[in-house]
């Protein structure tokens, strides 16, 4: 029994550690995000068909609110970390912050790709970037202009390099998909990962002071 318990501990210690670390957030999510598995949301009885739609809507709104809250603190702490270690805000946004905020998109793309919907995974990656640029930048700038009535000054630094890489990566993605006859293979994923590694290495090269 002792040996089996020790063996279980060796294999499950990561899961237990993650459970302890994520417990505060899980408790908050449990009490603020409705579970669509509750009977009140899943009743398909006559006259109560709308319960399922209400449950999904409340769950979706709750998740969006939590994403907004966590994203705010992510940006705040990333900016503080960059100030402490001497990394410029532009580099932080192009690397660490971009990777952190893209984790939900990556997980959703993995889930739909496992279900055989590769086209949705590709559309999600491209559509999320379009949303981030047009809405993620346009809406805050518009609200700031309406509230403060002054234009926002953006410290671009070498931001044009990131924009150039964005167009270049999109071009390489199209070429890779054409070469693989629009079939998502391991080689396509390897090419994209290699391009990202090159991008990060290039950012670190042009900012040697970080």
């Amino acid at each position: 029994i002792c040996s089996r318990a020790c063996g279980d501990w060796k294999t499950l210690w990561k899961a237990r550690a993650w459970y302890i670390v994520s417990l505060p957030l899980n408790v908050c999510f449990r009490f603020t995000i409705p579970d669509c598995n509750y009977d009140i949301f899943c009743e398909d009885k006559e006259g109560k068909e709308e319960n399922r739609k209400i449950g999904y809507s409340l769950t979706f709104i709750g998740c969006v609110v939590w994403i907004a809250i966590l994203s705010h603190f992510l940006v705040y702490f990333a900016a503080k970390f960059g100030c402490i270690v001497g990394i410029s805000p532009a580099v932080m946004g192009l690397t660490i912050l971009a990777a952190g905020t893209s984790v939900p998109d990556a997980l959703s793309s993995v889930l739909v790709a496992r279900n055989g919907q590769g086209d949705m995974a590709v559309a999600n990656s491209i559509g999320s970037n379009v949303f981030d640029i047009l809405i993620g930048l346009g809406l805050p700038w518009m609200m700031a202009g309406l509230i403060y009535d002054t234009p926002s000054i953006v410290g671009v630094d070498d931001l044009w390099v990131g924009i150039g890489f964005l167009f270049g990566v999109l071009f390489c993605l199209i070429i890779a998909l054409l070469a693989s006859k629009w079939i998502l293979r391991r080689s396509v994923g390897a090419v994209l990962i290699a391009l990202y590694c090159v991008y990060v290495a290039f950012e670190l090269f042009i900012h040697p002071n970080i």
Side-chain angles (χ1 to χ4, degrees):
I1 297 176
C2 181
S3 60
R4 185 170 62 180
C6 293
D8 292 341
W9 171 254
K10 291 180 180 179
T11 57
L12 298 178
W13 69 270
K14 292 183 180 179
R16 293 176 179 177
W18 175 250
Y19 174 80
I20 295 174
V21 171
S22 61
L23 181 60
L25 285 177
N26 287 332
V27 171
C28 294
F29 296 157
R30 181 68 176 177
F31 287 100
T32 57
I33 300 178
D35 190 347
C36 292
N37 292 322
Y38 288 161
D39 293 338
I40 189 175
F41 293 137
C42 297
E43 292 180 353
D44 294 327
K45 298 179 182 178
E46 184 178 356
K48 296 185 178 181
E49 294 83 0
E50 296 297 322
N51 286 0
R52 187 179 297 273
K53 296 181 180 179
I54 294 174
Y56 290 157
S57 300
L58 292 177
T59 301
F60 176 77
I61 294 173
C63 292
V64 171
V65 171
W66 269 110
I67 290 175
I69 295 174
L70 296 176
S71 298
H72 168 75
F73 285 104
L74 174 64
V75 174
Y76 177 79
F77 289 118
K80 294 297 183 181
F81 174 78
C83 292
I84 294 173
V85 300
I87 301 178
S88 64
V91 177
M92 286 291 298
L94 289 171
T95 54
I96 299 177
L97 190 59
T101 55
S102 298
V103 169
D105 293 334
L107 294 178
S108 60
S109 296
V110 169
L111 291 176
V112 297
R114 286 181 176 177
N115 292 331
Q117 299 175 336
D119 52 349
M120 185 181 295
V122 176
N124 173 56
S125 62
I126 298 176
S128 61
N129 284 280
V130 174
F131 182 87
D132 292 342
I133 295 173
L134 300 182
I135 304 299
L137 295 179
L139 182 60
W141 284 348
M142 184 185 71
M143 294 179 63
L146 293 175
I147 295 173
Y148 301 105
D149 197 23
T150 55
S152 301
I153 300 176
V154 180
V156 293
D157 293 340
D158 295 324
L159 193 60
W160 62 271
V161 177
I163 297 175
F165 261 93
L166 179 61
F167 282 101
V169 168
L170 182 59
F171 178 77
C172 292
L173 173 62
I174 296 175
I175 296 300
L177 291 176
L178 287 175
S180 63
K181 298 181 179 180
W182 297 97
I183 299 177
L184 295 178
R185 308 178 189 275
R186 294 181 179 179
S187 57
V188 177
V191 169
L192 297 180
I193 293 175
L195 287 174
Y196 182 76
C197 293
V198 171
Y199 164 69
V200 174
F202 182 78
E203 283 292 331
L204 296 177
F205 176 76
I206 63 176
H207 297 88
N209 59 336
I210 64 174

